[in-house]
Amino acid sequence: MDQEEMMARADWLAVLARAPQAAMEAALSGVTTGPVVWIRPAGIGMVMLEGRAGGTGQRFSLGQATVTRATCRAGEQIGVGYVLGHFPRRAELMALCDAALQGPSGAALMARLITPQQAAQRAARDDRARAAAATKVEFFTMARHAGARST
Amino acid sequence: MPMSAPSRRYNYGYLDEGTKRMVRRALLKAVAIPGYQVPFGSREMPIPYGWGTGGMQITASMITPADRLKVIDQGADDTTNAVNIRRFFARVADVQTTDKTSAATLIQTRHRIPEEPLTEDQVIVLQVPQPEPMRGLEPRETECRKIHAWGEYGLMHLKLYESVAQTGRITINHSYPVLVGGRYVMSPTPIPRFDNPKMTGMPALQLFGAGRERRIYAVPPYTEVKSLDFEDHPFTPQHFPDPCGLCGAVGVYQDEILLDDRGGKMFVCSDSDFCARRRAAGHKGPMAED
Amino acid sequence: MAYVPVKGGEEAILNSLGMVAEERRGDPATPELTIAQIRQQQARAVDRVMAEGSLYDPDLAALALKQAQGDATEAAFLLRAYRTTLEQFATAPPLDTARMAIRRRISATYKDLPGGQVLGPSYDYTHRMLDFDLMQDGPRAPAARAGTPVDAHMPRVPDLVANEGFMEPALPPEGDPAPGDLTRQPLGFPAGRDTRLQNLARGDEGFLLGLAYSTQRGFGSNHPYAGEIRAGEVPVEVVPEELGFVIDIGEVTVTESQMITSIKGASGENPRFTRGYGLVFGHSERKAMSMALIDRALRADEFAEPRKYPAQDEEFVLYHSDNVESSGFVQHLKLPHYVDFQAELKMLREMRAERQEASQ
C-alpha cells in the first residue's frame, strides 16, 4: 500500500469510526463482496490512553478506554474495524465497509457512505465549535481581527 | 450481512491467562523465599478490596476443573462472605465445591485454619487484609522494606516487651507475628493465635494473598514457623475450658453465641465442618438437641 | 433449651440480591431509566464514574450508574472490575490536548489571549437556585451559535508564557520513555511523576479536593494561579498491528488544568514559574484543578522544598486516594470478625479474673 492509499484508508476509517450503525447497514445492503471470512471476530478490549505532564512533558497512563475491533476477508480484501467503545456490530460493519472500499465497489460506497458521513460529521463539529464560540469573551476583538497588534 | 459471534463470556477462573501467569510467577517467588512479601500486579476483582481479593486471585490462578474447593470465613462454610466467594468460583470456574476439609484440594480461608490437620495434597490460601506485620509500628512502606531487608526486628520485640511490662502478658490475640524459616517476620493474617501452632511444619502449602496491598507470600510445606516470644514469657495459644455445646469437642477454637438478653450463651466450634462431622459421628454436646 | 445448627447464608444472600433489584427498579408505574437518558442527562455523573473507574466508556459508565442506583463510587467499582477482564489491544500515542475541539477554555492569568476566553457550558455563571421549570418536561431553548467557530488549534497558556522563558518547560525525559502503569505494576517509592499523575487521575474526587484545599489553607505553601482550564474532545489514535499506520478511532472528552505556581530561583538559577498538571476523563474542572494542585505539591523534592504537609507526602497521598481500595477496606469491617473479637473478649475476661484474684 502506498502512502496515498494509506492516508485515504486512514481517513475513511476515521469517518467510519464515527458513523452510525444504521448508515453503515444501509450503505452495505447494496454492496456485493466476495465470501466473507472473519479473521478476527468482533472482540472488546482496551487501549491505554496517555497524557503528557504539562501537555508536552513526561508521558503518563491516564486510563483505559474500551475498544471494539474486528477483521474480515471479503473477497480479495482485508477489512478492519476499530471503534472506541463497546460496539461489536459497528466494528464488524466498519470492517466490511473497509474491505468493500478497497474493492471494485469502493467508489460507489465512497459516494454513498463516506462522503455524506464526512460532511455530516464536519457539520456537527462545526456546530459545536460555533456554540462554544458564542460563549467567547472578546476584549480586543476588533483590533486582533484587524491584524493591528502584530509587533 | 454476516455477523461474527462476539463472546461475552469471562475467561475460565475470571482472570485472563496472562494475569494468571503473573500471579503464578509471584507465587513461585514467594515459595522460594518463605515469609517474604512479593509485590504483584493485583487486579481489581468483582468483590471489594479487603474482602478477599488477594486470596481470590491466588485461587483463580491455580484452580482447575479437577479441584474441589472449600471456602471458609471465621472457620465456617456458611458465613456470607464464604458463600459469596464459593458461588463466584462455582460460576466462573465450574469447580466442584465442598464443605468437607479432607475432601478439598484447595481451601480459601479468612481468619481461621481448619481444625482437621491438612495434608501434602492440599493447598490453603489465606486472605490477607494487611500483609505487613510491622505496619502498626511503622506506617511507611519504604521503612518497612528496610526493616525486612536488614532483618532488624527490634521494634517488634520492643512492642512485645512493652506489652509484657505493662500487662504481664503478650496481648496480641490474633495476627500474632511469626518468624518464618528463621528469616522473615510474617503476619499469619488475623487468625487467632490459637491457630499459629498449626502453621509450623504443616504438610500443606500455605499461600497468602493481599489484593489491596498487592503482596503475595508463602510458607512452603514443612517450614518452621515460630511465634515470637520470650524465654520467660513463652507463646501460648488460647484455651477454651468448656466443650463445644453442640458436639462436645474440646481443644478447638470456639465462637460465643448470645442466646438471650439475660447473659445466656453457648460456646460452639468455630470450624463448622469439624463440628458437623463430629455430630454426624454421634458426638453430642451439652446444648445439642436429642 | 436445645439447639440445631442450620445453614444460614445462601438463601438469605439470594433474597438480598432480589431486594436490591426490586428497590433499584422502584415503582413499576414509573418508566424505567434508559442508558441513553443517563449518558446524556446525567453526563457529569457518567464522567465521574469513568474517571474514577479508570475506563472511558460512557455507555458502560451509564449502565454502571443504573445498576448502582446512582452510587458513583459503587459504579466506578463495577467499571474497575469489568476492566480486569478485558485484554489490552494497544497503547495509543499520548493525547494531544492542543488539538482539543474546545468546548471551554479559560485562563485566570491573562485577560485576553490568542483564541480568547471561551466560557463554554459551566455552572460558574449560574445562580445556584433550584429551577422549578425542570420539575416538568418541556421544550428547552437551544444554545446560541456564533457565525464563526472557535479556533481549531488553541495554544496552551503555559506554552505561551514558556515562549518568553518565564515558565518551567514541560519536556519529556531523555528518550521519552513509555509510562508505568500502576494497574499492572504495584506502587514503589519514590514514585515517578508518571505514576503519581496516573494515581491522581483515577483517584477519588472528594479526597483530591480536600487535599488540594488543604494546600491553600496553610498545609502547603504554594500560591497557585489557574493558568488554563480547558475541556473538550480529543481524538484517540492507535496503530493497529494489522495495519501498521495510525488511525483515528473516535474521541474522548477530557478536562485539562494547568496550575502555575511559586517563583523559584534556587541555586543561582533564574527565578521562574513552576507548574502542576491535571488531566481527567470527562468534564470535571473541580477534579482536574485539584489534581494539578496536588501534582505540584508532590513535586516538592524537585524544587528542594521541605516536605511538611499531607499533600506533599507521596506515600500518604498515593496509598489513600483510591476510593475502590478505601471503600472496600473501610467497609470490610462489616464482614464477620467474631473469631478475632472472641480472642479479644477472652483475653479481657482472663485479665479481669486475674485482677479479681489478686485483689482478694
Side-chain angles (χ1 to χ4, degrees), chain A residues 28 31 36 38 41-42 86 89 92, chain B residues 1-8 44:
Chain A
L28 278 171
V31 175
V36 172
W38 289 101
H86 206 263
R89 186 57 184 155
E92 288 174 348
Chain B
M1 273 291 149
M3 272 281 278
S4 68
S7 166
R8 284 220 186 185
E44 269 131 345

Side-chain angles (χ1 to χ4, degrees), chain C residues 5-128:
Chain C
V6 287
K7 295 237 160 166
E10 195 115 22
E11 197 179 344
I13 287 179
L14 293 177
N15 291 342
S16 166
L17 303 183
M19 206 167 160
V20 169
E22 186 177 304
E23 292 198 355
R24 176 195 296 131
R25 178 58 185 90
D27 182 354
T30 307
E32 187 168 337
L33 273 173
T34 66
I35 299 305
Q37 282 171 345
I38 298 169
R39 191 187 63 231
Q40 293 171 31
Q41 298 177 35
Q42 298 288 302
R44 296 296 84 80
V46 168
D47 287 348
R48 180 166 185 174
V49 170
M50 292 194 298
E52 291 170 9
S54 203
L55 186 69
Y56 197 98
D57 189 318
D59 288 292
L60 293 187
L63 170 63
L65 273 168
K66 179 176 178 177
Q67 188 176 332
Q69 296 174 271
D71 180 332
T73 306
E74 181 66 27
F77 181 15
L78 289 169
L79 278 197
R80 292 271 191 98
Y82 180 67
R83 259 180 81 255
T84 299
T85 67
L86 296 181
E87 185 192 343
Q88 193 157 301
F89 286 163
T91 52
L95 299 176
D96 183 0
T97 51
R99 284 168 62 198
M100 182 183 284
I102 293 288
R103 182 199 281 237
R104 170 166 165 84
R105 184 266 204 139
I106 53 160
S107 170
T109 50
Y110 295 93
K111 182 171 182 181
D112 200 3
L113 64 166
Q117 306 264 11
V118 180
L119 302 185
S122 172
Y123 287 100
D124 290 355
Y125 322 108
T126 63
H127 299 136
R128 266 63 172 218

